[in-house]
Amino acid sequence: MDRMPEGLIGALPALGIDAERLKLSCFVDRDRSGKPAEIWLLADRESLFVLKGQTKRAANGCTAWENKSKEQYPLSGVGRLAVEERRSTAVLVADLAGETVLFAFFTNSCLESVRLFAHYAEKLVRGEDLEVDPDDLPEARFCPTCGMRYPNPNRKACPHCVKRGQLFRRTWKFFSAYRGSLAVLLASLVLLTVTGIIAPYLSGGFLFDEVIDTNGSFAGAILLVLFLMVATKLLRMLASMLNNWLSSKVAAKMTFSLKQTIFHAIERLSLGFFTDRQTGGLMTQINEDSNTIYEFFCDGIPYLVVNLVQVAVLVVLLLTIQPLLALFALLPVPLFFFLMRVMFRGERKLHAKRFAGSSRMSGFLADVLSGMRVVKAFSQEKSEIRRFTGYSRTLADSERSLRVYHTCVGTVAGALLFLGNIIAWGVGGRMVMQGYGGMTYGKLLTVIAYMNMIYSPLFFFSDMMNRSADCTNALRRLYEIMDAEPEVREKPDALRPETLGSGVEFDHVSFSYRKGRRVIDDVSFSVPAGGVLGIVGHTGAGKSTLANLLMRLYDPEEGEVRIGGIPVKDLSLETVYRNIAIVSQETYLFMGTILDNIRYAKPEASYDEVIEAAKCAGAHDFIVRLPNGYHTRVGFGFQELSGGERQRISIARAILKNPKILILDEATAAMDTATERRIQEALSGLIVGKTTIMIAHRLSTLRDADELVVIEHGKVAERGTQRELLAKSDGIYHRLYTLQLEALRQAGIAE
C-alpha cells in the first residue's frame, strides 16, 4: 500500500523477514499511545509484522533503518481486521486468539492506506489469492514527482506539480467573453501610465531646464507649464474615472460567472463527493476562490502589464538621460526580484494553510448553527465555545503568519529599493556638482522622480507575488473539482425510453462506500411492476443503501440493478430520476415557501395539483393554519415546522411527482400512530399501479407489503410474506416483531 524506504528494505534480513515474500506494506504515523512515531505494518502469507523504528540519512545520502521493536503475529491466529474511525484519528483492531487487540493507531492521513492493508490482509487470513486492484498500488495513488496523493484516483494529475503558466493560460479562456471591456480597461491604464510619466518631467526637468533657466527653449513660459500640468492632471482624472467605471461594471459579471463555473463543476459530481467534504469548506471555495481569481486576473494582470511597460519605458528614459547614474540606481533591483521569488514560495504554503483553516472554521459554524437545538439540549455551549476558540485561534495564527511573513519580506524589499534611491541621490548629486556628462539639477530631479516611479511598480510586483500565490492555490482547487470525474457517469449512448417498465431487480449486488467495508453483499431480489416490497433490518444493515443504488446515486461494485428489465447503467440519469421518487427519513426543506418546496418535484404543477398532493399526504390541514398558508416561508430563519410536518411536506412532494416507482425510506418515522394511519390510508390509494419499496423500522407499516426482505449485515437473511416470516419462531423478523410488540404493550399503545 505504501513504498518502503530503501533503508528498511535493507534492514529486513537482519530482522528475520524475507523481503521477497512480503505481500503488503503500510506506514502509520503514531504508536499505540498516540505519540508521533514511524511504524510499518507488513504481511506475508504466514505472519503480520509491526516494526517501530526510525529512518536515518547517512552522510553519503543513503537511508538506514534503526529498528526499535518488532512484533510478529501468525496469520492462523488472526480473526478479523477492522478500522475504527474517530474524529481526526483511527485505529486498526484485530481479533487475536479470541481477543480484540489494538494493532495500530494513526491519523487520518494514513486512513486510506490502512483500510487497503486491512482489506487485503483479510484475504491473506482466509487463504485467498491476492489479486491487487491496480488502482490500489502506490504508483496509482501517489504522484511520482512530489509523493503527494492524487486528489482523484481516476485522474492521475497532481495539482501540486502543475505549473503556474499552465493554470493561468487555461483560466484566461474564462475571460474571453469580456476581452472588449478588458481591452478598454487596459487602454485606460496605459493612459494613466503615460500621464504619470509626463507629469514628473513637466514639474522637473522641463520646468527647471527649459522654463526657469533663461537659456531654456521656453524661458519664462510659466503659464504654458501650468496649462500642460493642469491638462495632464485632467486627462489622468478622466482615465481614472473610466478605469473605475469599467472595473465596477465588469467585476460583478465576472465574479458571477466564476461562481457559476465553480458551482456547476460541484453540482455535476456524484453524491460520494459531498459525503467526504464539509459543507462549510465548499461554501468557502465558491465564495472566496471566485473573488481571489477575479482580483488576480482583473485587478492584477492589467496593472501588471501596464507596470511592466512603465518600468521598461522608464528604464529606457533613465538610460537616455544618464546611463551611468541609471546603472548605479538600479543595482538593488536584481536582489529585489530574487527576494520576490523566495517570497512566492513561502506565501503559497501560507495561503494554503490559511484557506484550510478558513474552510474548517466555515464547516464548524455551519455544523453548530444548524445543530444549535442539540447544543442547547445537552448544555454544551461552553464546549462549543472552546471548539470555536480552537478553530478561530488556528485561523488567526495562519493569518498572522501570512501577514508577518509578507510584512517582513516586504520591509526588506523596501529597504533594498530605498538603498537604490540613496545611491541615486549620492552619485547624482556628485555628478551635478562636477558637471559630469552635462548633468543638471533638473535632470537629477527627473531621474529621482522616475526612479520612484520604478519603485512603485516593483512594490506592486511584491503584492502580485502574494496575489499570485493565493490565486495559484485557488486555481488548483478549482481545477481539482472541474477535472474530477463523477463516480456515477452516464453512458454516451444512454437509453431514454418514452415509457419505462416499473419492475425492479437486484441481481447479486455488492457495494461498499469504502474499499474493504462492504455494506451490501451479494443481494438479490425482485419486485414485479405494481408490487409492494418491504425491507426491514437493524440500523446500519444497508437498507437505505439499496434505495441509493436503485436511484443510481451510487453504482454497485458487483452485480446489476435493473428497472423494467433494463440495467440502470444503460439508462440516462434523467430517465431514472423521472421515474423514481423517494421520501427519505432525512427530510430536507429548502429556504422558500411551502408551495415552492412541494413544487420542487414538479415545477410546472398547478396550485390545485399542489393542494391535492398535500391533502393526500395529510399536510393540507396544518398548512392552511399557518399565517400565510402555502405561501409561508420555511427554512433557516423562517417558520419552524415540527419533524412530522416536515415529513408530510416531503411526502406531498413525492406524491406530486406521481412516479412509477416510489421509495418510502422511513417515510412515517416522525409521526404519531394516528397520523401514520391516516397517511397509510392515503398512500394505499397512491401506490396502486406503482412499484413501491417501503423501508421501515416500525413493522406495522409493512403489513400490506406483498413480500418482505430482511437485511442483516448487508445480506438477505430472510424473505417472504409477513405471515410466512412470523411462522419462523427462530427467525430474525419474528424476533424483531415480538420485541416491538412487547415494547408497544409496555407503553400502553395498541396497534
Side-chain angles (χ1 to χ4, degrees):
M1 302 304 105
D2 294 317
R3 297 190 189 94
M4 288 187 291
E6 299 263 340
L8 175 59
I9 295 174
L12 290 178
L15 297 172
I17 301 174
D18 187 352
E20 297 294 329
R21 298 182 61 194
L22 286 178
K23 302 297 181 182
L24 304 172
S25 61
C26 176
F27 169 78
V28 295
D29 55 1
R30 294 290 187 272
D31 60 19
R32 291 191 178 100
S33 65
K35 296 179 181 178
E38 192 173 347
I39 311 289
W40 280 89
L41 310 178
L42 309 175
D44 58 23
R45 289 205 171 273
E46 286 77 34
S47 303
L48 295 177
F49 303 92
V50 182
L51 302 183
K52 180 180 180 180
Q54 186 177 3
T55 301
K56 293 188 174 182
R57 187 170 295 277
N60 60 0
C62 298
T63 59
W65 174 261
E66 180 184 332
N67 199 65
K68 296 181 180 179
S69 66
K70 170 194 168 187
E71 299 174 20
Q72 183 173 352
Y73 303 93
L75 284 181
S76 57
V78 177
R80 178 184 66 98
L81 286 167
V83 176
E84 298 178 359
E85 297 181 41
R86 300 175 181 178
R87 176 170 292 178
S88 58
T89 58
V91 294
L92 175 65
V93 295
D95 290 341
L96 298 175
E99 296 184 3
T100 301
V101 177
L102 176 62
F103 201 67
F105 188 98
F106 49 92
T107 63
N108 285 342
S109 61
C110 303
L111 183 58
E112 186 64 25
S113 295
V114 177
R115 277 205 192 100
L116 293 173
F117 180 87
H119 171 66
Y120 288 109
E122 284 197 319
K123 288 190 174 185
L124 292 177
V125 170
R126 294 192 295 265
E128 299 177 7
D129 291 336
L130 197 64
E131 296 181 3
V132 179
D133 188 334
D135 289 337
D136 295 337
L137 295 173
E139 53 266 27
R141 297 184 296 120
F142 296 91
C143 173
T145 303
C146 66
M148 299 292 289
R149 187 187 300 273
Y150 290 125
N152 182 5
N154 296 323
R155 179 176 173 269
K156 305 298 185 288
C158 177
H160 300 278
C161 297
V162 176
K163 295 181 180 179
R164 274 184 298 158
Q166 295 176 346
L167 289 174
F168 293 156
R169 283 193 298 272
R170 184 177 176 184
T171 306
W172 187 249
K173 297 177 183 178
F174 286 111
F175 303 99
S176 59
Y178 306 94
R179 55 180 176 268
S181 298
L182 292 175
V184 177
L185 188 67
L186 186 61
S188 67
L189 290 175
V190 170
L191 186 57
L192 282 170
T193 302
V194 171
T195 53
I197 293 174
I198 293 174
Y201 173 70
L202 292 175
S203 60
F206 183 76
L207 177 63
F208 283 92
D209 296 341
E210 303 295 337
V211 178
I212 296 178
D213 191 339
T214 55
N215 296 321
S217 303
F218 299 91
I222 298 294
L223 291 177
L224 174 62
V225 176
L226 293 177
F227 171 77
L228 292 174
M229 291 174 67
V230 170
T232 303
K233 182 65 175 178
L234 289 174
L235 190 59
R236 186 175 179 81
M237 287 174 57
L238 289 173
S240 179
M241 290 172 61
L242 176 63
N243 177 267
N244 292 334
W245 177 73
L246 276 175
S247 296
S248 301
K249 181 180 178 181
V250 174
K253 291 182 179 180
M254 296 192 69
T255 305
F256 168 78
S257 178
L258 280 168
K259 288 182 179 180
Q260 286 286 97
T261 300
I262 297 173
F263 187 74
H264 286 170
I266 292 175
E267 279 281 284
R268 71 181 180 84
L269 297 176
S270 304
L271 186 62
F273 172 85
F274 301 95
T275 57
D276 293 335
R277 286 165 172 80
Q278 286 187 321
T279 303
L282 293 175
M283 290 169 58
T284 302
Q285 189 162 352
I286 293 172
N287 287 321
E288 289 191 9
D289 283 356
S290 57
N291 292 329
T292 299
I293 295 169
Y294 164 78
E295 288 173 2
F296 179 79
F297 280 94
C298 295
D299 283 350
I301 293 294
Y303 284 98
L304 176 65
V305 173
V306 169
N307 283 324
L308 286 172
V309 173
Q310 177 175 317
V311 168
V313 171
L314 290 172
V315 168
V316 171
L317 291 175
L318 286 174
L319 292 173
T320 302
I321 296 171
Q322 177 47 253
L324 186 60
L325 177 58
L327 292 175
F328 273 108
L330 295 172
L331 277 177
V333 172
L335 292 175
F336 175 86
F337 280 111
F338 173 77
L339 194 61
M340 290 303 98
R341 184 177 177 84
V342 174
M343 184 179 181
F344 172 79
R345 292 176 180 173
E347 288 196 343
R348 187 176 65 183
K349 296 177 182 178
L350 292 173
H351 273 294
K353 187 177 180 181
R354 181 197 61 78
F355 181 86
S358 178
S359 296
R360 285 193 290 267
M361 169 73 86
S362 298
F364 167 79
L365 290 174
D367 188 37
V368 170
L369 293 177
S370 60
M372 189 56 71
R373 182 180 181 184
V374 179
V375 175
K376 294 289 185 183
F378 289 92
S379 188
Q380 291 297 311
E381 292 91 343
K382 292 182 179 179
S383 173
E384 296 303 331
I385 289 173
R386 286 194 296 271
R387 288 180 63 200
F388 175 81
T389 302
Y391 284 116
S392 183
R393 183 178 292 114
T394 300
L395 178 59
D397 289 345
S398 60
E399 288 274 12
R400 184 180 65 249
S401 299
L402 176 61
R403 294 181 184 278
V404 167
Y405 182 85
H406 183 73
T407 301
C408 291
V409 177
T411 302
V412 174
L416 283 174
L417 297 183
F418 180 72
L419 177 62
N421 220 338
I422 295 297
I423 293 173
W425 274 111
V427 175
R430 188 75 174 175
M431 287 180 173
V432 171
M433 288 187 292
Q434 295 179 350
Y436 178 83
M439 193 66 179
T440 64
Y441 181 65
K443 288 183 179 180
L444 178 60
L445 288 180
T446 303
V447 168
I448 297 299
Y450 283 168
M451 284 302 304
N452 289 329
M453 290 182 69
I454 288 178
Y455 295 155
S456 179
L458 292 181
F459 277 115
F460 174 79
F461 296 154
S462 169
D463 183 60
M464 279 297 290
M465 290 296 105
N466 182 34
R467 291 190 185 188
S468 177
D470 199 11
C471 183
T472 300
N473 289 329
L475 288 173
R476 283 174 175 163
R477 290 188 292 266
L478 169 61
Y479 290 126
E480 180 183 334
I481 291 176
M482 290 187 65
D483 295 337
E485 291 293 336
E487 296 172 1
V488 176
R489 292 191 288 271
E490 184 179 287
K491 290 183 177 180
D493 57 347
L495 302 175
R496 291 175 171 82
E498 290 294 328
T499 58
L500 182 67
S502 58
V504 173
E505 299 171 73
F506 276 67
D507 187 8
H508 297 286
V509 171
S510 297
F511 173 76
S512 58
Y513 291 103
R514 298 184 185 278
K515 187 164 288 190
R517 298 177 62 185
R518 279 203 167 171
V519 180
I520 301 298
D521 190 3
D522 196 27
V523 168
S524 295
F525 63 81
S526 63
V527 189
V532 179
L533 176 73
I535 300 178
V536 298
H538 295 289
T539 300
K543 305 184 298 297
S544 296
T545 301
L546 292 173
N548 291 337
L549 292 171
L550 177 58
M551 295 192 68
R552 216 193 164 196
L553 298 178
Y554 298 93
D555 279 337
E557 295 173 356
E558 298 175 7
E560 197 170 65
V561 180
R562 292 187 286 269
I563 298 176
I566 303 174
V568 292
K569 288 185 177 181
D570 294 340
L571 294 169
S572 69
L573 295 176
E574 189 273 334
T575 300
V576 174
Y577 300 151
R578 188 181 69 242
N579 286 276
I580 300 178
I582 183 170
V583 180
S584 174
Q585 56 188 324
E586 300 174 357
T587 58
Y588 187 82
L589 300 183
F590 294 96
M591 289 180 63
T593 65
I594 291 177
L595 180 66
D596 292 336
N597 269 280
I598 297 177
R599 269 185 179 156
Y600 194 78
K602 187 180 177 184
E604 72 278 7
S606 67
Y607 188 71
D608 290 338
E609 288 178 305
V610 172
I611 293 177
E612 188 62 32
K615 287 180 177 178
C616 289
H620 178 73
D621 291 342
F622 85 80
I623 292 175
V624 296
R625 289 196 298 268
L626 294 173
N628 296 306
Y630 282 86
H631 297 284
T632 301
R633 294 184 65 83
V634 295
F636 186 75
F638 295 101
Q639 178 72 41
E640 184 70 25
L641 300 178
S642 68
E645 290 170 341
R646 295 164 64 88
Q647 191 76 306
R648 277 176 270 179
I649 291 176
S650 180
I651 292 173
R653 191 158 53 193
I655 292 173
L656 182 64
K657 189 175 183 179
N658 193 25
K660 289 188 175 182
I661 300 172
L662 183 64
I663 302 173
L664 303 175
D665 187 359
E666 300 288 353
T668 57
M671 301 174 191
D672 56 70
T673 304
T675 303
E676 181 192 359
R677 283 180 175 173
R678 287 199 302 271
I679 293 179
Q680 288 294 344
E681 292 173 1
L683 290 176
S684 63
L686 173 70
I687 65 178
V688 174
K690 294 181 176 63
T691 304
T692 306
I693 296 177
M694 305 174 70
I695 300 171
H697 279 106
R698 195 179 294 178
L699 304 183
S700 60
T701 62
L702 304 175
R703 60 168 64 94
D704 296 326
D706 301 328
E707 186 180 27
L708 299 178
V709 171
V710 181
I711 302 296
E712 184 84 358
H713 302 304
K715 296 176 177 288
V716 176
E718 296 175 353
R719 63 185 302 171
T721 64
Q722 188 176 54
R723 185 182 297 275
E724 291 170 348
L725 295 181
L726 287 175
K728 300 178 181 179
S729 58
D730 59 343
I732 298 172
Y733 184 83
H734 185 278
R735 184 172 68 252
L736 291 172
Y737 188 89
T738 304
L739 290 172
Q740 273 197 24
L741 189 61
E742 183 63 28
L744 291 171
R745 285 173 178 168
Q746 291 180 3
I749 300 173
E751 290 204 331

